[in-house]
Amino acid sequence: MFSVDFMINILGIISFLTIILLVITLFFKIEQMKTLQASFNKVKKQLDEMDEQAKLIMRTDLELNKTQEELDKKISGLYALQKLSRSIASTLEESQIFNMVDPARLAELGFEKACAFLWDDAQKRFLPQINIGFLAEEIEAIKNLVRAEKDKFLALIKSEKTFSSLSGLDPVLREKIKATGKVRAFVISPIMPKEGESGFLCVGTEDPDFFINEGDEELITILANQLGQTIENARLFEKTWRAQQDLEKKVEERTHELSRLLDEVKAISKRKTDFISSVSHELRTPLTSIKGYAAILLAEKLGKLPPEIRERLEKINRHSDELVHLVNDLLDIARIESGRMLMKKEPQELKELVATVEDLLGVQLKQKQIRFEADIPAEAQKILADRSQLERVFINLIGNACKFTPEKGRIGVAARKTDGSVQVDITDTGCGIPEEALGAIFEEFYRVDNAINQELKGTGLGLALVKHIVEAHGGKIWVKSSTGAGSTFSFTIPSG
Ligand code: ADP
């Protein structure tokens, strides 16, 4: 059998082994606990992170809601502002502009009260323009405040900035505005048209829940700018309208004056025509007698004439012819001017008419060995004219060309059909006409001061008569010439 010692030893060994086992088990348990603790920590960290994220999401959601609300407010504000701007811009009458600010639209912007003032430089004071929502005593108090603090309001306009009860404004003035207008919050913005005097717009609210922000200041700035722009347009329109009225008045006065002058000129011209006409008639009778007596004497019906008397009588006869010619031209001009001489417009053959005139002037042309060329194409052949009067036109123009063209020169007559009429150009290679004389050439009694005119006689009536005849046919006459370069007289006559 086992001894006690043996048993004790066995028990000791068993205990020792048990203790070792327990230690080993404990060690593993501790390790397990550590792993568990680590997992627990990880999970806790994740939970914390999730919690943070949830809080962030809630915060973001709140901010998003706020932004959305602000955005909604801004959109409805912009919508109201657009309507306000449109109705303001619909008038061009300065006195009507502020009446176009609709209180309902202004309320949509959050303000139930508004007033505006424009500076009057003549009176050196601000003049009230609108009152929306202020009681009579409130607006009176505001007017007094604006009067008392006019320098501060002028400085505010000069700064070109918008202020509100929130920011920027001198605290004393801010509190005064709040107190006088009985408003909790307000925005004040300058009105600055480019033309004329400026002013300001002040809007406010008593609403305790209304909190002004930068967006409100921006909207009121836009509204004040719109008012300034419309006032500027109205002033420009007024200015333009006045200028136009002035111009119309001036034009009317000038027209009146011109028609009075025209009547005067017509009366003078008639008096001149009547005078020439009666003087010419008076001259014609004695001239006819002079010519008659000279003819009787020259015919030697009263006895033979000594040569020196004959010579003088012939001179009297020649000069009387010239005078008769002059008197006839004057009478004709007077008759055409007064409308007493009517042109008998009949179909004529231009070529044949020119040939007749060439024949009539044949001697002069031959004497000076002048080459005469007529170029009248078939389509310019037929014209409508008073035969004898048109002959006078050609005789005068070709006669002048012959007179002012040196020997062996050239005279050309060319015709061409234009719109409803025939244009005739009479060209010569003569002395030409100085530029400064061209404007006066068709006036009665005008003659260029040159050597040929000093030598040869003339009345200065030929071209005036020609012009009257052409115009009495409904045509026009003009000249192109310069000294030494020949001349071209052109006129139009109705085609047949
Ligand atoms: P008159 O021939 O009797 O002087 P007109 O009225 O026919 O009067 O002409 C006015 C002036 O115009 C002439 O004196 C002359 O100086 C100028 N004139 C007219 N025709 C010509 C021409 N073909 N060439 C140069 N000068 C001309």
Side-chain angles (χ1 to χ4, degrees):
M1 286 312 282
F2 302 107
S3 67
V4 172
D5 282 347
F6 177 76
M7 287 299 283
I8 288 169
N9 280 338
I10 290 295
L11 270 172
I13 288 165
I14 291 168
S15 302
F16 178 73
L17 285 174
T18 311
I19 286 167
I20 288 205
L21 202 74
L22 274 171
V23 166
I24 289 168
T25 315
L26 200 68
F27 177 77
F28 277 111
K29 281 283 172 204
I30 286 170
E31 279 306 306
Q32 230 175 348
M33 284 268 291
K34 271 186 184 167
T35 320
L36 271 172
Q37 181 68 40
S39 307
F40 175 74
N41 282 346
K42 210 171 158 189
V43 169
K44 191 171 177 289
K45 200 176 158 209
Q46 278 173 351
L47 276 173
D48 282 349
E49 274 175 13
M50 276 171 71
D51 189 40
E52 268 310 305
Q53 271 175 8
K55 277 185 190 158
L56 191 73
I57 287 170
M58 270 171 67
R59 263 206 314 274
T60 315
D61 191 43
L62 268 175
E63 264 168 33
L64 267 175
N65 273 343
K66 207 175 143 215
T67 316
Q68 180 68 45
E69 259 174 41
E70 272 172 19
L71 208 67
D72 285 350
K73 194 180 154 200
K74 248 190 183 158
I75 289 172
S76 65
L78 280 172
Y79 184 69
L81 185 69
Q82 190 228 3
K83 296 229 158 170
L84 266 171
S85 298
R86 202 182 293 162
S87 70
I88 289 168
S90 68
T91 181
L92 275 174
E93 235 178 283
E94 193 178 339
S95 61
Q96 286 302 311
I97 292 171
F98 287 98
N99 295 341
M100 305 312 271
V101 179
D102 181 355
R105 298 279 171 226
L106 198 68
E108 282 172 38
L109 292 178
F111 302 99
E112 73 280 4
K113 290 182 166 184
C115 63
F117 288 81
L118 284 180
W119 178 250
D120 184 324
D121 212 34
Q123 301 184 49
K124 297 276 177 250
R125 69 186 184 101
F126 279 105
L127 299 181
Q129 303 297 321
I130 36 159
N131 168 22
I132 293 176
F134 289 108
L135 297 174
E137 63 266 23
E138 287 169 0
I139 197 74
E140 262 325 297
I142 291 172
K143 283 184 201 167
N144 289 338
L145 174 68
V146 171
R147 197 174 306 133
E149 302 285 2
K150 75 170 196 276
D151 291 337
K152 284 190 181 165
F153 284 99
L154 281 171
L156 184 145
I157 296 169
K158 215 170 162 205
S159 75
E160 299 185 11
K161 278 192 203 144
T162 296
F163 298 94
S164 73
S165 45
L166 252 195
S167 62
L169 206 62
D170 157 26
V172 181
L173 186 63
R174 181 184 65 209
E175 292 314 315
K176 277 185 182 169
I177 295 176
K178 278 182 166 181
T180 47
K182 303 244 167 53
V183 286
R184 262 203 64 257
F186 68 86
V187 180
I188 184 163
S189 184
I191 298 171
M192 290 177 302
K194 278 197 203 106
E195 285 276 316
E197 281 103 30
S198 305
F200 63 87
L201 168 73
C202 183
V203 295
T205 180
E206 290 176 52
D207 185 355
D209 298 326
F210 185 86
F211 293 101
I212 281 184
N213 59 28
E214 272 181 24
D216 298 311
E217 288 184 12
E218 272 168 27
L219 290 181
I220 299 307
T221 307
I222 297 172
L223 180 60
N225 284 348
Q226 178 68 54
L227 283 165
Q229 181 68 54
T230 312
I231 292 173
E232 185 181 324
N233 290 349
R235 287 177 183 170
L236 277 174
F237 177 75
E238 169 90 3
K239 218 172 156 185
T240 318
W241 188 77
R242 271 189 203 291
Q244 195 202 333
Q245 294 292 102
D246 281 357
L247 202 72
E248 270 175 23
K249 205 170 148 220
K250 268 187 197 146
V251 168
E252 205 177 296
E253 279 168 12
R254 297 290 291 175
T255 314
H256 200 261
E257 174 73 5
L258 279 174
S259 91
R260 194 185 61 76
L261 285 174
L262 189 69
D263 286 347
E264 232 168 69
V265 168
K266 275 187 188 160
I268 292 169
S269 169
K270 188 172 178 304
R271 277 208 298 279
K272 183 202 83 176
T273 310
D274 292 349
F275 172 75
I276 291 178
S277 172
S278 65
V279 168
S280 308
H281 273 295
E282 293 303 319
L283 279 173
R284 237 189 359 195
T285 323
L287 261 176
T288 317
S289 312
I290 293 169
K291 259 187 75 68
Y293 288 127
I296 292 168
L297 289 171
L298 278 170
E300 297 188 325
K301 283 184 183 157
L302 300 175
K304 202 136 175 68
L305 292 175
E308 60 276 15
I309 292 186
R310 167 170 286 279
E311 194 190 317
R312 283 177 177 95
L313 272 175
E314 271 165 359
K315 258 191 186 162
I316 290 175
N317 203 22
R318 227 180 19 256
H319 286 301
S320 306
D321 277 346
E322 275 164 15
L323 268 176
V324 169
H325 196 73
L326 185 138
V327 166
N328 283 344
D329 278 358
L330 273 176
L331 268 174
D332 285 347
I333 290 176
R335 276 202 209 109
I336 297 173
E337 266 186 353
S338 65
R340 274 179 284 128
M341 190 196 271
L342 290 174
M343 300 293 143
K344 284 188 244 104
K345 284 191 224 160
E346 284 162 350
Q348 310 289 342
E349 290 277 329
L350 191 56
K351 206 170 187 169
E352 186 260 321
L353 198 144
V354 172
T356 312
V357 177
E358 188 188 350
D359 255 12
L360 277 169
L361 299 171
V363 181
Q364 296 170 42
L365 291 167
K366 219 178 217 157
Q367 258 174 10
K368 291 180 92 172
Q369 298 173 54
I370 288 174
R371 189 152 47 93
F372 183 88
E373 287 167 352
D375 174 19
I376 299 161
E379 72 270 14
Q381 219 25 277
K382 306 245 177 281
I383 51 164
L384 267 184
D386 184 312
R387 169 86 191 198
S388 62
Q389 297 303 331
L390 196 61
E391 263 183 28
R392 285 173 92 180
V393 169
F394 276 103
I395 291 170
N396 267 295
L397 293 178
I398 299 173
N400 276 346
C402 188
K403 185 155 92 177
F404 296 102
T405 300
E407 285 186 3
K408 298 197 171 129
R410 176 190 171 272
I411 296 174
V413 177
R416 67 191 154 97
K417 184 135 195 277
T418 57
D419 240 7
S421 54
V422 169
Q423 181 179 323
V424 181
D425 301 317
I426 298 172
T427 309
D428 63 53
T429 54
C431 62
I433 301 162
E435 210 187 312
E436 62 275 13
L438 289 174
I441 207 88
F442 295 102
E443 280 170 21
E444 287 146 35
F445 304 110
Y446 183 84
R447 304 187 77 216
V448 178
D449 187 11
N450 59 21
I452 304 175
N453 269 345
Q454 273 158 22
E455 197 185 311
L456 297 172
K457 280 204 192 105
T459 58
L461 282 176
L463 286 180
L465 183 66
V466 163
K467 186 171 187 274
H468 276 95
I469 296 174
V470 169
E471 286 174 356
H473 277 86
K476 274 188 196 147
I477 183 160
W478 65 98
V479 61
K480 277 190 188 144
S481 182
S482 60
T483 316
S487 312
T488 298
F489 283 83
S490 306
F491 67 89
T492 56
I493 209 87
S495 64

